[in-house]
Amino acid sequence: MITDTRALQTQFVPQELQHRDAKVHRLEGALEPITRGRSGENVLITGPSGVGKTTLAKFVVKELEKQTFGMRWGYVNCLSRSTRSQALWKLARDARVGQDLRPEGHAPVLFRDRLADLDEQFVAIVDEADALREPTALFDLYELSHVTLLLVCVDEHGFLSEADSRLRSRLHGVEKLHLDRYDVGELTAILDNRVEYGLAPDSVAADVTPTIADIAAGDARYGIILLRKAVRHAMDEGDSTVTREHARAVESDAKAEVRQRYISEFGTDLRLLYEIVAEHEPIRAEKLKARYEAEAADPVADSTRRTYLKRLRQYDVIEKEGRGRGAAYVVPDPVG
């Protein structure tokens, strides 16, 4: 049934980005100066989870790399690499100037200096930028004239409101791209493309992808995982065709996998906050704060902790029930 497993992987970057033509053209325009040996425009890419923000950034940068001599690019997910050292080290490693270094044991300035010594244009994709524990890393990158920043986050307002005045002033003039959720027709077409690319002809019933698109509610990540699980369920059952019933049977499992993937990307503090909620739910904010500060090796500031809790809620990993002093955090059911 499966002819190419890559089509069922969320991290797979397709050869053509569907329903994002206008965004692709705008991002290409912002990066066009790189083809002439100059830095591009810094860009802030926002939108809810599962709308292709990271895929858009990687797609355009990879296409640019094919057309341009003298450029390199790197990617860092700040959910898992939230400190200045970790973020700069990952970018230096991707730029192929930090392979001999470790993320711990070296001063962050060393990673910055390695990037500064590059004699080529460098594009830094900083994913989940608002999860950076030390935004100083962004200043390090801003100061390098040959570095172009693609900052990716869910909520522009939340990102800017939590940033200090210096960072807000730097971000004021950046190009901004916002991606909305896919509608059912758009997500159906994306899933149909995956089916055509990676599955045998006639192995998926015609009504399966619209059903999955409706369940996923505009979240392409969830939709692709649900499609993969439906295919696997059909194969396990010995069926030659994937049906709507296969998709509905694994809906809960797919939702659980989406959440688990986010959890697997979390750095130390995000993971600790989640684990405290999971172990002690329902848990009120003041008790959660006390437990976190008692268990964390190096607790983050209150403002950063609140940002992390907001991020956990945005990814549907935890929920907040009630209001005011009586509000409590819980882990939601897989489907609901």
Side-chain angles (χ1 to χ4, degrees):
M1 184 180 292
I2 300 175
T3 59
D4 193 329
T5 59
R6 292 178 300 171
L8 302 179
Q9 297 171 356
T10 57
Q11 66 269 31
F12 174 64
V13 178
Q15 294 180 333
E16 179 183 357
L17 208 58
Q18 294 176 285
H19 307 294
R20 295 296 187 218
D21 288 349
K23 307 300 183 183
V24 167
H25 293 327
R26 284 183 61 187
L27 189 52
E28 286 176 337
L31 300 183
E32 188 275 336
I34 294 174
T35 65
R36 295 179 276 114
R38 298 163 47 197
S39 61
E41 294 183 52
N42 298 318
V43 181
L44 176 62
I45 305 173
T46 61
S49 59
V51 298
K53 302 184 297 295
T54 304
T55 301
L56 170 67
K58 289 183 176 180
F59 175 83
V60 173
V61 169
K62 286 182 177 181
E63 290 298 307
L64 182 68
E65 185 180 32
K66 295 176 185 177
Q67 307 164 15
T68 308
F69 290 108
M71 74 153 282
R72 301 185 189 186
W73 69 278
Y75 170 85
V76 60
N77 186 327
C78 299
L79 283 178
S80 54
R81 303 189 185 278
S82 61
T83 68
R84 181 187 180 198
S85 286
Q86 292 169 342
L88 293 176
W89 169 80
K90 177 59 165 61
L91 293 172
R93 192 186 73 170
D94 286 357
R96 303 188 297 280
V97 294
Q99 298 95 322
D100 59 323
L101 304 176
R102 293 176 292 110
E104 293 81 25
H106 295 95
V109 67
L110 177 59
F111 309 131
R112 183 200 64 193
D113 289 347
R114 289 289 182 92
L115 290 169
D117 289 340
L118 270 175
D119 57 2
E120 298 172 297
Q121 292 294 320
F122 182 69
V123 180
I125 303 174
V126 183
D127 205 353
E128 311 290 355
D130 53 343
L132 265 176
R133 181 172 177 173
E134 299 173 273
T136 312
L138 297 181
F139 291 110
D140 291 324
L141 297 168
Y142 268 119
E143 291 172 356
L144 303 180
S145 60
H146 60 293
V147 171
T148 301
L149 279 172
L150 302 185
L151 304 176
V152 181
C153 67
V154 171
D155 178 24
E156 175 188 342
H157 175 73
F159 181 32
L160 296 180
S161 65
E162 294 292 338
D164 64 28
S165 58
R166 295 177 302 158
L167 183 55
R168 283 199 300 271
S169 67
R170 297 290 183 93
L171 294 173
H172 180 71
V174 302
E175 177 80 10
K176 296 175 182 177
L177 296 180
H178 179 77
L179 277 61
D180 293 316
R181 286 199 181 279
Y182 297 105
D183 62 33
V184 171
E186 291 171 339
L187 186 48
T188 297
I190 290 170
L191 296 172
D192 284 340
N193 191 4
R194 299 272 178 153
V195 168
E196 182 179 0
Y197 188 91
L199 298 174
D202 302 319
S203 60
V204 177
D207 58 357
V208 170
T209 52
T211 298
I212 292 176
D214 184 56
I215 294 171
D219 186 333
R221 180 183 291 108
Y222 180 24
I224 293 166
I225 290 174
L226 183 50
L227 173 62
R228 176 173 53 77
K229 284 191 169 292
V231 170
R232 176 56 62 188
H233 181 51
M235 294 174 65
D236 290 344
E237 293 292 312
D239 297 327
S240 59
T241 303
V242 182
T243 67
R244 288 191 302 175
E245 287 68 30
H246 293 121
R248 294 195 181 282
V250 295
E251 182 178 346
S252 178
D253 289 344
K255 175 63 76 174
E257 181 174 326
V258 170
R259 289 174 178 160
Q260 189 55 47
R261 287 196 178 197
Y262 285 129
I263 293 168
S264 69
E265 294 177 348
F266 293 161
T268 303
D269 294 288
L270 276 163
R271 183 180 294 273
L272 177 57
L273 286 166
Y274 166 76
E275 289 174 348
I276 292 172
V277 174
E279 183 178 356
H280 300 285
E281 64 171 327
I283 183 170
R284 292 187 177 184
E286 63 270 17
K287 187 175 181 180
L288 174 57
K289 174 185 176 182
R291 285 192 173 274
Y292 166 73
E293 291 179 343
E295 297 181 29
D298 181 20
V300 299
D302 285 351
S303 59
T304 303
R305 177 177 48 79
R306 287 192 293 268
T307 297
Y308 285 176
L309 288 171
K310 180 179 178 182
R311 175 48 50 87
L312 293 174
R313 292 169 62 193
Q314 286 173 331
Y315 285 130
D316 201 25
V317 172
I318 66 172
E319 289 179 350
K320 189 176 182 180
E321 294 183 341
R323 295 182 179 180
R325 297 182 63 85
Y329 293 97
V330 298
V331 175
D333 293 330
V335 175

